[in-house]
Amino acid sequence: QVIYATVTGDKIMASATSQELKKFGIETGLTNYSAAYATGLLLARRLLKSLNMDSLYQGTDKTNGDDYDVTADCNEDKQPFKAVLDVGIIATTTGNRTFGALKGACDGGLNIPHSVKRYPGYSKEGKYDAKAHRDRIYGVHVDQYMKTLKEESNEEYLKQFSVWDKALKKAGVTSVEKLYENVHAKIRKDPVLKSKEVKNPKRINKKNKKLTLVQKKANIAAKIKIAMESHA
């Protein structure tokens, strides 16, 4: 979520969840690093779209793990949207998926001050391997394990990755990496949150219809009358 505070309470400007990735082609693995990145990307593009800033700040056109700073190419008329990361009570360990969401939001065009020290690929020696980070963003390690397991036993492969296998076939791709490439492209094309279709609007309106003060008093009087008559 992107939130700002007011004296009357916090206001949510935009939000996104990994569950939404299903409509873009990701049916499983919604809690991993790759999904966190895609969710951050979705949030950024959705927010900028709502502010009519999506064409001004399109983010990086190449997700290669390199650190992207949207402020390096500011528009003269409007500055990039700036946000501050609030991790709450989450442990900020290197490689935590929180930083996947951060990376996705930054690549999506938001200005969020940060360093690469908590990204996957950052070593104890102080060196940052952008390729290693890119592999985590695209789930390359999942691809490698799936390939190895399939070669060893197709039965075990289907037992563990049947949902992934179905998703890959449905998308017409042969790897998780290609699937995420498609997902990122779809997110950029249409990040807007669609309103849920109301199946039975009449029933919902009737259920949620508020009574006036006069109607409430009339209902109370009717209940009192029934109660008194029953005890007469």
Side-chain angles (χ1 to χ4, degrees):
Q1 296 176 328
V2 176
I3 302 173
Y4 68 93
T6 70
V7 292
T8 57
D10 294 342
K11 304 296 182 182
I12 300 175
M13 296 186 68
S15 64
T17 71
S18 61
Q19 289 293 323
E20 293 182 67
L21 299 180
K22 291 181 178 180
K23 66 182 180 182
F24 296 105
I26 301 297
E27 300 289 340
T28 187
L30 300 176
T31 59
N32 61 27
Y33 192 91
S34 302
Y37 174 91
T39 305
L41 177 64
L42 176 60
L43 175 64
R45 300 313 301 163
R46 178 173 292 167
L47 173 65
L48 294 177
K49 181 77 173 179
S50 69
L51 298 174
N52 294 319
M53 294 174 63
D54 54 317
S55 59
L56 295 177
Y57 296 103
Q58 300 181 14
T60 180
D61 58 354
K62 187 178 294 185
T63 306
N64 52 17
D66 289 339
D67 192 34
Y68 176 74
D69 183 7
V70 70
T71 62
D73 187 22
C74 292
N75 184 276
E76 295 181 358
D77 300 324
K78 188 173 289 187
Q79 293 292 311
F81 186 96
K82 185 176 182 179
V84 177
L85 178 66
D86 180 5
V87 299
I89 61 173
I90 295 174
T92 55
T93 53
T94 300
N96 188 289
R97 61 188 177 184
T98 300
F99 301 109
L102 167 68
K103 175 62 172 168
C106 289
D107 284 358
L110 298 188
N111 174 21
I112 307 176
H114 66 280
S115 74
V116 299
K117 291 184 178 180
R118 286 293 178 257
Y119 283 160
Y122 189 83
S123 66
K124 295 180 180 180
E125 292 73 26
K127 295 182 179 181
Y128 175 58
D129 185 351
K131 184 180 182 304
H133 192 184
R134 180 199 176 280
D135 288 348
R136 285 290 300 279
I137 290 171
Y138 283 107
V140 174
H141 60 296
V142 178
D143 272 329
Q144 293 173 343
Y145 181 59
M146 288 173 64
K147 182 180 179 181
T148 300
L149 187 61
K150 191 172 185 179
E151 291 175 350
E152 294 177 353
S153 172
N154 189 63
E155 184 179 349
E156 288 298 321
Y157 164 76
L158 292 176
K159 185 182 295 184
Q160 292 191 41
F161 295 107
S162 59
V163 179
W164 272 114
D165 188 73
K166 183 179 179 180
L168 294 179
K169 290 178 180 177
K170 185 177 180 180
V173 296
T174 57
S175 67
V176 175
E177 180 179 1
K178 290 294 184 182
L179 179 60
Y180 270 109
E181 287 179 358
N182 289 351
V183 169
H184 296 169
K186 290 178 181 179
I187 287 174
R188 289 181 176 279
K189 184 177 180 180
D190 185 14
V192 179
L193 178 63
K194 302 295 189 300
S195 298
K196 291 184 178 179
E197 183 179 354
V198 180
K199 295 182 178 180
N200 193 345
K202 292 184 179 179
R203 182 179 179 184
I204 293 177
N205 291 336
K206 184 177 180 181
K207 181 179 179 181
N208 294 335
K209 186 177 180 180
K210 292 184 178 180
L211 300 176
T212 64
L213 181 59
V214 175
Q215 290 174 324
K216 289 180 179 178
K217 288 183 177 180
N219 287 344
I220 293 173
K223 290 179 180 179
I224 293 175
K225 183 179 180 180
I226 293 173
M228 291 179 67
E229 290 176 350
S230 64
H231 287 82

